[in-house]
Amino acid sequence: MTDLKESKISSENVYKGSFLDIRKDRVTLPNGKTSTREWIKHPGAACIIPVISDGNIALIKQYRYPVRSEMIELPAGKLDPGEDPEKCAGRELQEEIGYTAGKLTFICKIHPAIGFASEVMWIYLAENLTKSAKNTDHDEFVKLLPTSLNDAVQMVWNGKITDVKTIIGILWAERLIS
């Protein structure tokens, strides 16, 4: 088996935004030839599966501009510089749905878009929730959708939920909670 690793020759910062960098790298391929790789440098994120006191999970609905659609999702958010993923999960839980977790359990780590982004996402199960004040960002609008786990799983299988982190989180929740 041939080594599949590609080696960076050069890297150009095509665009630097407030939270994403778009890069264009020149690479050496495993066969010795060269090519380019365009990719997005992402700070990472945390995703939370919140189990509320009635046993439902707290999904959210929000408009996602890139796909021009309201999406049903699990709460999630990007890591601040140097932030631990577990701390991010706790912060995002409070900001997006107004709860704090008595118990946060790491479930898995995923790479949501390996073809064009460096994003790593850590998924946590949040239990023993306590109501707190919701504190969304100034440009973030979310609607809380408490949903039974069975209904959430059906929304995955019937295509109502298409967000990858949410699909993975719900299927993990089904395995862990059921």
Side-chain angles (χ1 to χ4, degrees), residues 70-147:
E70 288 183 2
M71 301 296 287
I72 298 171
E73 306 175 45
L74 287 167
K78 71 175 181 67
L79 275 65
D80 288 337
E83 186 176 31
D84 174 75
E86 186 173 327
K87 291 228 184 299
C88 177
R91 177 177 54 76
E92 288 292 337
L93 181 68
Q94 192 271 321
E95 286 178 6
E96 288 198 355
I97 67 167
Y99 281 93
T100 57
K103 181 180 177 188
L104 267 178
T105 306
F106 172 72
I107 301 302
C108 68
K109 178 175 83 170
I110 64 171
H111 297 87
I114 59 173
F116 63 87
S118 66
E119 181 178 14
V120 176
M121 185 173 279
W122 290 263
I123 300 178
Y124 292 87
L125 182 66
E127 300 171 288
N128 306 330
L129 300 186
T130 305
K131 192 80 178 120
S132 65
K134 190 172 160 184
N135 185 26
T136 53
D137 293 334
H138 77 283
D139 61 350
E140 184 176 40
F141 301 90
V142 300
K143 180 180 177 185
L144 183 61
L145 297 174
T147 307

Side-chain angles (χ1 to χ4, degrees), residues 19-178:
F19 113 84
L20 296 175
D21 274 346
I22 299 177
R23 315 287 307 179
K24 184 174 183 179
D25 291 2
R26 188 142 184 81
V27 299
T28 302
L29 302 171
N31 65 2
K33 295 183 180 182
T34 62
S35 189
T36 57
R37 297 290 183 248
E38 296 171 353
W39 61 284
I40 298 169
K41 184 177 178 186
H42 189 285
C47 173
I48 310 96
I49 308 162
V51 181
I52 45 186
S53 60
D54 61 6
N56 285 335
I57 60 171
L59 296 175
I60 60 171
K61 183 183 272 192
Q62 68 180 319
Y63 185 81
R64 292 299 196 167
Y65 185 81
V67 294
R68 308 292 197 274
S69 185
E70 288 183 2
M71 301 296 287
I72 298 171
E73 306 175 45
L74 287 167
K78 71 175 181 67
L79 275 65
D80 288 337
E83 186 176 31
D84 174 75
E86 186 173 327
K87 291 228 184 299
C88 177
R91 177 177 54 76
E92 288 292 337
L93 181 68
Q94 192 271 321
E95 286 178 6
E96 288 198 355
I97 67 167
Y99 281 93
T100 57
K103 181 180 177 188
L104 267 178
T105 306
F106 172 72
I107 301 302
C108 68
K109 178 175 83 170
I110 64 171
H111 297 87
I114 59 173
F116 63 87
S118 66
E119 181 178 14
V120 176
M121 185 173 279
W122 290 263
I123 300 178
Y124 292 87
L125 182 66
E127 300 171 288
N128 306 330
L129 300 186
T130 305
K131 192 80 178 120
S132 65
K134 190 172 160 184
N135 185 26
T136 53
D137 293 334
H138 77 283
D139 61 350
E140 184 176 40
F141 301 90
V142 300
K143 180 180 177 185
L144 183 61
L145 297 174
T147 307
S148 74
L149 184 54
N150 286 340
D151 287 350
V153 170
Q154 283 308 307
M155 293 165 81
V156 166
W157 296 127
N158 70 21
K160 283 188 176 180
I161 293 176
T162 60
D163 172 61
V164 68
K165 72 180 178 304
T166 303
I167 291 170
I168 293 168
I170 288 170
L171 296 180
W172 266 104
E174 180 184 37
R175 181 177 185 178
L176 296 170
I177 297 170
S178 294

